[in-house]
Amino acid sequence: MTTVNVHEAKSQLSRLLAQVEAGEEVIIARNGKPVARLVSCQPKPKRQPDTMKGLISIDERFFEPLPEEELELWGV
């Protein structure tokens, strides 16, 4: 993440936009205090179902009731 002051942001806007297009976030500050954030407007890629299929397995023990000691720790 890059932080620049307002004067630098005005004079280097093209360079800062190139950084944002490359995936970086740019903070613009006034007198050292952050006031704005430049981020990409590109939509995030749509999540695809089943991309982890076959990579994750759930053991049968997952569905067993928790022991009383652990339930007490959760306040149940």
Side-chain angles (χ1 to χ4, degrees), residues 64-76:
E64 294 176 3
L66 293 173
E68 287 297 323
E69 304 84 44
E70 189 162 346
L71 288 173
E72 288 175 11
L73 292 172
W74 286 96
V76 178

Side-chain angles (χ1 to χ4, degrees), residues 1-75:
M1 178 174 14
T2 302
T3 301
V4 297
N5 62 38
V6 174
H7 177 73
E8 183 181 355
K10 290 191 316 189
S11 63
Q12 300 291 321
L13 184 59
S14 293
R15 179 181 60 84
L16 296 174
L17 290 175
Q19 287 178 254
V20 169
E21 288 175 324
E24 191 173 335
E25 186 175 293
V26 177
I27 302 295
I28 300 174
R30 181 181 291 128
N31 297 324
K33 183 178 179 183
V35 294
R37 183 175 62 204
L38 291 178
V39 294
S40 177
C41 289
Q42 301 301 319
K44 293 183 180 179
K46 205 170 199 178
R47 293 179 5 170
Q48 297 294 321
D50 292 336
T51 55
M52 298 295 289
K53 191 171 187 172
L55 300 175
I56 298 174
S57 63
I58 298 176
D59 192 293
E60 290 296 322
R61 294 174 295 170
F62 178 82
F63 299 101
E64 294 176 3
L66 293 173
E68 287 297 323
E69 304 84 44
E70 189 162 346
L71 288 173
E72 288 175 11
L73 292 172
W74 286 96

